[in-house]
Amino acid sequence: MMNCLTLMEAGQSNRRRAEFAAIAKQHEAALMRTAKRMCGSDYDLAQDLVQDTFVAAYRAYLDDRFDGRHPGAWLTRILTNSYLYARRQNRSDSGLDGELIPNNDQTEGNWNSKIPSPEQSLLRGTFSEPIERALMSLPEAQRVCVLLADVEEIPYAEVAHTLGVPIGTVRSRLARARMQMLVVLRELQKQEMQS
C-alpha cells in the first residue's frame, strides 16, 4: 500500500514539474528581454534575475500559490520584484523615487514622423534601435513602469501594487517616460537627417 502511494505522489510530482517546465519555456524569452531592458548593460544581472524568477516561481507553483491564470504576468511580477530587491541590495538609493525629468510641453502631441510613436512600438513589443535607446535613456523608475505597463501590458493597478506606489504615480511616470522618449527619438531623428 505504501509503495503504491509513493508511486502516485512521484507521478503527480513529475506532472507538476512538466507543467511548470512548459510555462517556463513559453515565457523565458520574454522574461529575458524584460530583464535585459530593466538592467541596461548588466547582462549578468539580467540572467541572474530570470534564474531567480524561475526558482521563486517554481517553489510557489509547487506550493499551489499560483492559480494558473496569466502566467506571463505572474512571472513578470516575480521578475520585477526580484529586480527591485536586487537594486536595493546593491545600493542604498534604488533611484525609484528620484525622477527629475523636465516636462517639455512644446513636444506633446506633436509627433509627425514616419517612425512609430513610442506607445505604438512599445505596445507591439518590437523595438527598433532608436526605441531601445530611448527606453534605456529613461531613469530606472520610469523604464520599469514602461516595461510593465506598455510592454508587458500589466494593468496600472497591478503595476502600482508591484512597485509599491500609488496608481497616480504610475500614470505620472508613464507620462514623463513617454515624453522623454519622444524627445530622445526626435533628437535621434534630427541626427539621422543631418547625416
Side-chain angles (χ1 to χ4, degrees), residues 103-173:
N103 189 0
N104 187 349
D105 292 330
Q106 296 169 349
T107 59
E108 193 168 356
N110 213 3
W111 184 259
N112 58 2
S113 171
K114 293 181 183 177
I115 299 173
S117 72
E119 293 88 352
Q120 292 167 336
S121 293
L122 289 173
L123 288 174
R124 281 199 309 260
T126 59
F127 296 122
S128 64
E129 190 220 340
I131 296 290
E132 191 73 39
R133 287 176 64 185
L135 182 64
M136 295 314 296
S137 75
L138 297 174
E140 180 179 68
Q142 292 174 359
R143 185 172 64 242
V144 170
C145 276
V146 168
L147 289 169
L148 295 177
D150 290 342
V151 177
E152 297 302 325
E153 299 178 346
I154 296 173
Y156 289 7
E158 192 172 330
V159 172
H161 178 72
T162 299
L163 298 177
V165 298
I167 195 167
T169 301
V170 170
R171 288 186 177 115
S172 173
R173 287 178 183 175

Side-chain angles (χ1 to χ4, degrees), residues 29-81:
L31 286 175
M32 194 62 204
R33 278 191 309 273
T34 301
K36 284 194 287 189
R37 289 184 177 118
M38 284 180 177
C39 298
S41 62
D42 195 345
Y43 186 74
D44 290 335
L45 177 60
Q47 288 180 315
D48 290 346
L49 288 174
V50 172
Q51 183 70 26
D52 291 348
T53 298
F54 283 133
V55 169
Y58 184 66
R59 286 181 183 146
Y61 191 79
L62 290 180
D63 291 342
D64 287 326
R65 290 183 282 142
F66 174 59
D67 62 8
R69 296 180 299 163
H70 313 294
W74 175 63
L75 289 168
T76 301
R77 182 172 184 177
I78 294 170
L79 175 75
T80 303
N81 288 336

